[in-house]
Amino acid sequence: MRIKDPELPEDITPRDLPGGARNELKTLSKENAERVARHLAMAARTLDEDPELAHEHAQAAVRHAGRVAIARETLAITAYTVGDFALALRELRTHRRITGRDDLIALIVDSERGLGRPERALEEGRAVDRATLPTPVRVELAIAMSGARLDLGETQLALVELDIPELDPDRAFEWSPGLFAARATVLEDLGLADEAADWRRRAEIAADALGHSVDEDEFDVIEIDDAHSEELEGEAADDAAAVIGAASDAQPAAAAAEDPAAPSAEYNEPVAEPEEPVAAADETFTVEDEVAEILAEIDAEPVDAEPDDADAEPDEHEDADAAIETEPDADAAPETAQQTSSDGAPSPRKDDGEGRPDGALF
């Protein structure tokens, strides 16, 4: 006899089912996939308000898609909710065979407990490698295993089952309210009322914290990020100024290294500075003064004196040489021509300030 499917409201559509779940229905025909999707969406919508109706929609989905994992999972959850633990256990094991995953191991343990088999529940839980489980699944398994210990009267071991790394009293995660509440229950069975009340209070605070809207959380994060960014920008500006200052200080040193006239950093000996213009002028004055004295001695001799032929010739040559050597200076630099002082000595000639080689007359 064919079982009639529960009616589907017109406002329920396949789009009401999450995209990941809809992807699992691609192996079905289009018409069947849409029908199954609507039943699954309706089961999710009515699970809290009307578990029996949700269970009927889940059964209808499995009838039309018995080999789809999401349909089996939904039926296992609705069966567990209405207390049909045998059906729940059967569907959970079928789901594990189809997917090869242990994501619903906590429900398997609890279903065994619901059937009155806590020892079997502990065996199911110990058979799974907890390190391979997602964190929320691992926490749910710890809670289920703690419940199995309570069923056996092993209260202290029940508390040990809850001593897991995810038990952080100062931080709230999606699994924290249930984990805190389970610990409070065990502490009450141990007669530790004060500690139990403290953990119960923490469970309520965690539930309230997780109930905050996403917009408020994002707003808080944005405020923190903005302040942190301003701090980082200030530090970056200081670092950039330090780098620019270091580069400015390094430029004169680099220019000095490129200048051939600059002293080499390899030697520390002082470099002789060019002679001062005054020193050059003094040296010129001394040489010209000496020449003037020679010329004065020649001019002092009597003109009408008849020197010897041997002596006269050198004197004429000296006069000619002196005249030849003095003429270029007068022609080359008329503005600096020598002037004779009252004592007959030429005044110092203005030069360009460069030093002259030793022994040069002009």
Side-chain angles (χ1 to χ4, degrees):
M1 178 177 155
R2 183 175 180 179
I3 302 176
K4 185 180 179 179
D5 295 339
E7 294 183 1
L8 290 168
E10 294 182 359
D11 63 334
I12 196 78
T13 67
R15 290 288 179 181
D16 293 328
L17 189 68
R22 290 201 309 271
N23 289 337
E24 296 188 29
L25 305 179
K26 290 183 177 180
T27 57
L28 307 176
S29 65
K30 181 179 179 181
E31 181 181 357
N32 191 29
E34 291 180 354
R35 178 172 52 193
V36 172
R38 294 178 68 191
H39 280 297
L40 293 176
M42 191 62 185
R45 175 187 292 186
T46 59
L47 181 61
D48 294 333
E49 298 177 358
D50 192 348
E52 293 291 341
L53 180 59
H55 188 49
E56 291 179 8
H57 282 287
Q59 289 176 319
V62 169
R63 284 195 295 267
H64 296 288
R67 297 183 179 181
V68 177
I70 186 63
R72 294 287 188 170
E73 177 181 354
T74 303
L75 180 56
I77 293 173
T78 58
Y80 177 86
T81 303
V82 298
D84 191 347
F85 299 112
L87 178 60
L89 189 59
R90 186 190 71 185
E91 295 300 322
L92 289 169
R93 288 174 176 169
T94 302
H95 176 270
R96 183 165 59 181
R97 286 196 302 269
I98 293 174
T99 63
R101 301 194 307 266
D102 288 312
D103 295 348
L104 302 178
I105 184 61
L107 282 179
I108 292 177
V109 173
D110 263 349
S111 295
E112 291 287 0
R113 290 180 58 207
L115 293 174
R117 300 182 295 202
E119 296 88 351
R120 183 69 180 272
L122 293 175
E123 291 178 3
E124 290 281 357
R126 286 193 295 262
V128 177
D129 184 5
R130 299 192 185 189
T132 63
L133 300 176
T135 302
V137 176
R138 189 164 57 246
V139 174
E140 291 173 359
L141 176 58
I143 296 173
M145 296 288 283
S146 177
R149 294 290 186 183
L150 289 178
D151 294 341
L152 294 173
E154 301 172 350
T155 309
Q156 193 63 45
L157 291 178
L159 187 63
V160 173
E161 293 285 354
L162 298 176
D163 289 335
I164 57 178
E166 290 77 14
L167 183 67
D168 188 346
D170 299 324
R171 303 178 66 185
F173 300 92
E174 59 178 296
W175 58 81
S176 298
L179 182 59
F180 294 168
R183 189 174 184 83
T185 300
V186 175
L187 290 172
E188 288 175 354
D189 289 351
L190 289 174
L192 303 175
D194 292 341
E195 293 186 25
D198 181 63
W199 281 100
R200 190 77 65 185
R201 180 181 59 84
R202 291 180 185 274
E204 295 174 357
I205 294 174
D208 292 340
L210 294 173
H212 287 172
S213 65
V214 176
D215 293 339
E216 291 177 354
D217 293 340
E218 289 180 351
F219 179 78
D220 293 340
V221 172
I222 291 173
E223 279 190 347
I224 294 173
D225 287 347
D226 287 343
H228 187 55
S229 298
E230 291 177 0
E231 181 180 356
L232 290 179
E233 288 176 1
E235 294 177 356
D238 295 340
D239 294 342
V243 172
I244 292 173
S248 300
D249 296 340
Q251 287 180 356
E258 294 177 358
D259 188 1
S264 173
E266 187 177 358
Y267 301 97
N268 295 324
E269 297 180 358
V271 180
E273 298 181 356
E275 297 180 356
E276 297 293 335
V278 177
D282 293 343
E283 184 179 356
T284 303
F285 175 78
T286 303
V287 174
E288 291 179 354
D289 189 27
E290 184 177 356
V291 174
E293 290 178 0
I294 296 173
L295 294 177
E297 291 177 359
I298 295 174
D299 293 338
E301 295 180 358
V303 178
D304 57 348
E306 295 182 359
D308 295 336
D309 294 340
D311 296 333
E313 291 181 0
D315 292 337
E316 292 176 359
H317 288 296
E318 287 180 4
D319 293 340
D321 293 340
I324 292 172
E325 291 177 358
T326 55
E327 285 177 1
D329 291 335
D331 296 337
E335 68 278 5
T336 58
Q338 297 177 355
Q339 298 178 357
T340 304
S341 62
S342 59
D343 59 358
S347 60
R349 195 170 60 85
K350 295 181 180 179
D351 51 43
D352 54 5
E354 295 179 357
R356 303 181 184 279
D358 294 339
L361 299 179
F362 298 99

